[in-house]
Amino acid sequence: MIGIHGIAGIGKTTLAQGIYNQIAHQFEDARFLSNVAEVEEHRGSLELQRQLLEDILWPKIARISNIDEGISLIKKTLCSRKVLIILDDVSALTQLEFLAGSHHWFGSGSRIIITTRNKHLLDVHEVDELYEVEKLNSEEALQLFSLWAFKADLPRDGFWDLSGRALNYCDGLPLAVKVVGSLLYGRRKLEWENTLLKLQTVGERNVQKVLRLSYDRLDHTEKDLFLDIACSSEGRTQILLEEYLIVATSLQLEWKFSKIVLSSVF
């Protein structure tokens, strides 16, 4: 089992999807379960088990009536098959326990890849390999931003300083870089100035939505810490959410550089 962790908007799902697209053909069966936490919250645990098995057993999966029955069926069905399973955006250990409780549930050569914000969850589940997706460095961020803002590898003449201001706002988050870059695409300098001023003061809805993901996934203790930091700020009329998310989430995440080398895993 392989665990990919990092804060919301950092590119975990994109990375997992890229791996899936690259190697899925090497397996007897391949399943990509998106938004595991959201699906469980709105549709229940049984729905996730059904999604995992639907292409293989349909329509027999309709007979799953409880979690234990689903676990038994997963083991029985997949223990002799070489499978690739992506469990995307896992938020609780119980989700792993009823979807991929052990290596022995799956046949030889199988790969189970888990994406999550919570590194501790992966440690407890004792995954074989851990990879942290870190923020983009300045060169990577500039290249990605230019792709979305200019449809080129670098900013246009006259837009370098403005691009730097935009990237400072994004703080290396790939999804934020993409959203802000696409927001500025095709605009004139004055429009850039106004847009960046708006971002720095009141924020932009899509960017705030990205950053909100991190806060929503904090536990009660971490949310209390976040609010303590926000409320204790002095001399500021505007509390910017993104400035404090990093403080709260860094309690559980180690900010160290690592890269996934696919050849060392597959």
Side-chain angles (χ1 to χ4, degrees):
M1 293 189 186
I2 302 160
I4 301 173
H5 67 97
I7 63 175
I10 204 69
K12 301 182 297 297
T13 298
T14 300
L15 178 58
Q17 186 67 64
I19 295 172
Y20 182 87
N21 292 341
Q22 184 177 2
I23 66 172
H25 67 278
Q26 301 175 17
F27 299 84
E28 294 180 61
D29 297 293
R31 295 290 294 150
F32 193 111
L33 269 63
S34 302
N35 304 313
V36 167
E38 183 178 348
V39 172
E40 184 188 33
E41 180 180 358
H42 293 99
R43 302 172 65 183
S45 305
L46 290 181
E47 175 59 26
L48 286 166
Q49 291 182 322
R50 292 189 181 106
Q51 286 185 17
L52 182 59
L53 294 170
E54 64 181 358
D55 287 344
I56 304 171
L57 290 179
W58 183 265
K60 294 181 181 178
I61 57 169
R63 301 174 185 173
I64 300 177
S65 58
N66 59 67
I67 294 296
D68 289 336
E69 185 178 345
I71 290 175
S72 178
L73 194 55
I74 291 171
K75 292 179 181 179
K76 180 179 178 180
T77 305
L78 302 181
C79 67
S80 61
R81 303 175 76 94
K82 179 182 177 182
V83 298
L84 170 65
I85 297 173
I86 311 289
L87 304 178
D88 177 54
D89 197 20
V90 172
S91 64
L93 184 62
T94 53
Q95 294 159 3
L96 295 179
E97 290 173 342
F98 65 71
L99 289 172
S102 168
H103 305 78
H104 304 299
W105 289 20
F106 311 99
S108 176
S110 293
R111 292 289 184 271
I112 313 302
I113 300 176
I114 303 157
T115 75
T116 180
R117 188 188 66 84
N118 189 344
K119 176 181 178 292
H120 179 67
L121 182 154
L122 300 172
D123 291 333
V124 174
H125 201 57
E126 298 183 335
V127 300
D128 302 293
E129 301 283 348
L130 271 176
Y131 297 99
E132 179 180 6
V133 183
E134 291 203 334
K135 294 188 291 185
L136 300 173
N137 62 37
S138 57
E139 182 178 346
E140 293 167 337
L142 178 62
Q143 187 173 22
L144 180 62
F145 178 79
S146 299
L147 178 65
W148 287 96
F150 303 104
K151 308 302 181 186
D153 293 333
L154 294 172
R156 287 165 42 197
D157 291 341
F159 283 83
W160 280 85
D161 289 342
L162 291 170
S163 297
R165 287 172 53 188
L167 289 173
N168 286 337
Y169 177 83
C170 298
D171 195 31
L173 290 176
L175 192 52
V177 171
K178 174 181 175 180
V179 171
V180 173
S182 60
L183 181 68
L184 294 170
Y185 174 69
R187 297 181 183 237
R188 295 171 297 178
K189 279 188 177 181
L190 181 59
E191 293 176 303
W192 273 60
E193 292 277 3
N194 292 335
T195 300
L196 291 175
L197 180 62
K198 178 183 176 182
L199 286 173
Q200 292 165 356
T201 55
V202 300
E204 198 276 332
R205 185 173 301 175
N206 289 334
V207 178
Q208 288 185 333
K209 182 179 179 181
V210 169
L211 296 168
R212 175 79 191 191
L213 294 174
S214 288
Y215 178 79
D216 289 341
R217 289 294 171 78
L218 299 176
D219 61 30
H220 293 300
T221 301
E222 292 168 330
K223 285 181 178 178
D224 288 341
L225 173 63
F226 169 84
L227 293 175
D228 287 342
I229 295 171
C231 293
S232 65
S233 178
E234 297 181 359
R236 300 192 60 180
T237 58
Q238 179 70 33
I239 303 300
L240 298 181
L241 177 62
E242 58 270 24
E243 294 182 19
Y244 297 108
L245 287 175
I246 301 302
V247 176
T249 55
S250 64
L251 293 175
Q252 290 187 334
L253 296 178
E254 299 175 8
W255 294 94
K256 60 183 180 180
F257 182 79
S258 64
K259 288 187 177 180
I260 291 185
V261 182
L262 295 180
S263 60
S264 68
V265 179
F266 301 104

CSV table of all heavy atoms in Angstrom, one decimal, residues 36-38 40-41 45 48 87-101 121:
chain,number,residue,atom,x,y,z
A,36,VAL,N,-13.6,9.9,-1.3
A,36,VAL,CA,-14.1,8.8,-0.3
A,36,VAL,C,-14.8,9.4,0.9
A,36,VAL,O,-15.9,9.0,1.2
A,36,VAL,CB,-12.9,7.9,0.1
A,36,VAL,CG1,-13.3,7.1,1.3
A,36,VAL,CG2,-12.4,7.1,-1.0
A,37,ALA,N,-14.2,10.4,1.5
A,37,ALA,CA,-14.8,11.0,2.7
A,37,ALA,C,-16.2,11.6,2.4
A,37,ALA,O,-17.2,11.5,3.1
A,37,ALA,CB,-13.9,12.1,3.2
A,38,GLU,N,-16.3,12.3,1.2
A,38,GLU,CA,-17.6,13.0,0.9
A,38,GLU,C,-18.7,11.9,0.5
A,38,GLU,O,-19.8,12.1,0.9
A,38,GLU,CB,-17.4,13.9,-0.3
A,38,GLU,CG,-18.6,14.6,-0.8
A,38,GLU,CD,-18.3,15.6,-1.9
A,38,GLU,OE1,-17.2,15.8,-2.2
A,38,GLU,OE2,-19.3,16.1,-2.5
A,40,GLU,N,-18.9,8.8,1.7
A,40,GLU,CA,-19.3,8.2,2.9
A,40,GLU,C,-20.3,9.1,3.7
A,40,GLU,O,-21.3,8.7,4.2
A,40,GLU,CB,-18.1,7.8,3.8
A,40,GLU,CG,-18.6,7.1,5.0
A,40,GLU,CD,-17.5,6.9,6.0
A,40,GLU,OE1,-16.6,7.7,6.2
A,40,GLU,OE2,-17.5,5.8,6.7
A,41,GLU,N,-19.9,10.4,3.7
A,41,GLU,CA,-20.8,11.3,4.5
A,41,GLU,C,-22.2,11.5,3.9
A,41,GLU,O,-23.2,11.5,4.6
A,41,GLU,CB,-20.1,12.7,4.5
A,41,GLU,CG,-20.9,13.8,5.3
A,41,GLU,CD,-20.2,15.1,5.3
A,41,GLU,OE1,-19.1,15.2,4.7
A,41,GLU,OE2,-20.8,16.1,5.8
A,45,SER,N,-21.2,4.1,3.9
A,45,SER,CA,-20.1,3.2,3.7
A,45,SER,C,-20.4,2.1,2.7
A,45,SER,O,-19.5,1.7,1.9
A,45,SER,CB,-19.7,2.6,5.0
A,45,SER,OG,-19.5,3.6,6.0
A,48,LEU,N,-19.6,3.0,-0.9
A,48,LEU,CA,-18.2,2.9,-1.3
A,48,LEU,C,-17.8,1.4,-1.6
A,48,LEU,O,-17.1,1.2,-2.6
A,48,LEU,CB,-17.3,3.4,-0.1
A,48,LEU,CG,-17.3,5.0,0.0
A,48,LEU,CD1,-16.7,5.4,1.3
A,48,LEU,CD2,-16.6,5.6,-1.1
A,87,LEU,N,-7.8,5.0,-3.5
A,87,LEU,CA,-8.8,5.5,-2.5
A,87,LEU,C,-8.4,7.0,-2.3
A,87,LEU,O,-7.5,7.4,-1.6
A,87,LEU,CB,-8.7,4.8,-1.2
A,87,LEU,CG,-8.9,3.2,-1.3
A,87,LEU,CD1,-8.7,2.6,0.0
A,87,LEU,CD2,-10.3,2.9,-1.9
A,88,ASP,N,-9.2,7.9,-2.9
A,88,ASP,CA,-8.9,9.3,-3.0
A,88,ASP,C,-9.6,10.1,-1.9
A,88,ASP,O,-10.8,9.9,-1.7
A,88,ASP,CB,-9.3,9.9,-4.4
A,88,ASP,CG,-9.0,11.4,-4.4
A,88,ASP,OD1,-7.9,11.8,-4.1
A,88,ASP,OD2,-10.0,12.1,-4.8
A,89,ASP,N,-8.9,10.9,-1.2
A,89,ASP,CA,-9.4,11.8,-0.2
A,89,ASP,C,-10.0,11.0,1.0
A,89,ASP,O,-11.2,11.2,1.4
A,89,ASP,CB,-10.4,12.8,-0.8
A,89,ASP,CG,-10.7,14.0,0.2
A,89,ASP,OD1,-9.8,14.2,1.0
A,89,ASP,OD2,-11.7,14.6,0.0
A,90,VAL,N,-9.2,10.2,1.6
A,90,VAL,CA,-9.6,9.4,2.8
A,90,VAL,C,-9.5,10.3,4.0
A,90,VAL,O,-8.4,11.0,4.1
A,90,VAL,CB,-8.8,8.1,2.9
A,90,VAL,CG1,-9.1,7.4,4.2
A,90,VAL,CG2,-9.1,7.2,1.7
A,91,SER,N,-10.4,10.3,4.9
A,91,SER,CA,-10.4,11.2,6.1
A,91,SER,C,-10.4,10.4,7.4
A,91,SER,O,-10.2,11.0,8.4
A,91,SER,CB,-11.5,12.2,6.0
A,91,SER,OG,-12.8,11.5,6.1
A,92,ALA,N,-10.7,9.1,7.4
A,92,ALA,CA,-10.8,8.4,8.6
A,92,ALA,C,-10.3,6.9,8.4
A,92,ALA,O,-10.4,6.3,7.4
A,92,ALA,CB,-12.3,8.3,9.1
A,93,LEU,N,-9.7,6.4,9.5
A,93,LEU,CA,-9.2,5.1,9.5
A,93,LEU,C,-10.3,4.0,9.2
A,93,LEU,O,-10.0,3.0,8.5
A,93,LEU,CB,-8.5,4.8,10.8
A,93,LEU,CG,-7.8,3.4,10.9
A,93,LEU,CD1,-6.6,3.4,9.9
A,93,LEU,CD2,-7.3,3.2,12.4
A,94,THR,N,-11.5,4.3,9.6
A,94,THR,CA,-12.5,3.3,9.4
A,94,THR,C,-12.8,3.1,7.9
A,94,THR,O,-13.2,2.0,7.5
A,94,THR,CB,-13.8,3.8,10.1
A,94,THR,OG1,-14.1,5.1,9.7
A,94,THR,CG2,-13.7,3.7,11.6
A,95,GLN,N,-12.6,4.1,7.1
A,95,GLN,CA,-12.8,4.0,5.7
A,95,GLN,C,-11.8,3.0,5.1
A,95,GLN,O,-12.1,2.3,4.2
A,95,GLN,CB,-12.6,5.4,5.0
A,95,GLN,CG,-13.7,6.4,5.4
A,95,GLN,CD,-13.3,7.8,5.2
A,95,GLN,OE1,-12.2,8.1,4.7
A,95,GLN,NE2,-14.2,8.8,5.6
A,96,LEU,N,-10.6,3.0,5.5
A,96,LEU,CA,-9.6,2.1,5.1
A,96,LEU,C,-9.9,0.7,5.6
A,96,LEU,O,-9.7,-0.3,4.9
A,96,LEU,CB,-8.2,2.5,5.6
A,96,LEU,CG,-7.7,3.8,5.0
A,96,LEU,CD1,-6.3,4.1,5.5
A,96,LEU,CD2,-7.6,3.7,3.5
A,97,GLU,N,-10.4,0.6,6.8
A,97,GLU,CA,-10.7,-0.7,7.4
A,97,GLU,C,-11.8,-1.5,6.7
A,97,GLU,O,-11.8,-2.7,6.6
A,97,GLU,CB,-11.1,-0.5,8.9
A,97,GLU,CG,-10.0,-0.1,9.7
A,97,GLU,CD,-10.4,0.3,11.2
A,97,GLU,OE1,-11.6,0.5,11.4
A,97,GLU,OE2,-9.5,0.3,12.0
A,98,PHE,N,-12.8,-0.8,6.0
A,98,PHE,CA,-13.8,-1.5,5.3
A,98,PHE,C,-13.6,-1.5,3.8
A,98,PHE,O,-14.4,-2.2,3.1
A,98,PHE,CB,-15.2,-1.0,5.7
A,98,PHE,CG,-15.6,0.4,5.3
A,98,PHE,CD1,-15.7,0.8,4.0
A,98,PHE,CD2,-15.7,1.4,6.2
A,98,PHE,CE1,-16.1,2.1,3.6
A,98,PHE,CE2,-16.1,2.7,5.9
A,98,PHE,CZ,-16.2,3.0,4.6
A,99,LEU,N,-12.5,-0.8,3.3
A,99,LEU,CA,-12.3,-0.9,1.9
A,99,LEU,C,-11.0,-1.6,1.6
A,99,LEU,O,-10.9,-2.3,0.5
A,99,LEU,CB,-12.2,0.6,1.4
A,99,LEU,CG,-13.5,1.3,1.3
A,99,LEU,CD1,-13.2,2.8,0.9
A,99,LEU,CD2,-14.4,0.7,0.3
A,100,ALA,N,-10.0,-1.5,2.4
A,100,ALA,CA,-8.6,-2.1,2.2
A,100,ALA,C,-8.0,-2.3,3.5
A,100,ALA,O,-6.9,-1.8,3.8
A,100,ALA,CB,-7.8,-1.2,1.3
A,101,GLY,N,-8.5,-3.2,4.3
A,101,GLY,CA,-8.1,-3.5,5.6
A,101,GLY,C,-6.7,-4.1,5.7
A,101,GLY,O,-6.0,-3.9,6.7
A,121,LEU,N,-3.0,9.0,9.8
A,121,LEU,CA,-3.9,7.9,9.4
A,121,LEU,C,-3.1,6.8,8.6
A,121,LEU,O,-3.3,5.6,8.8
A,121,LEU,CB,-5.0,8.5,8.6
A,121,LEU,CG,-6.1,7.6,8.0
A,121,LEU,CD1,-7.4,8.5,7.8
A,121,LEU,CD2,-5.7,7.0,6.7
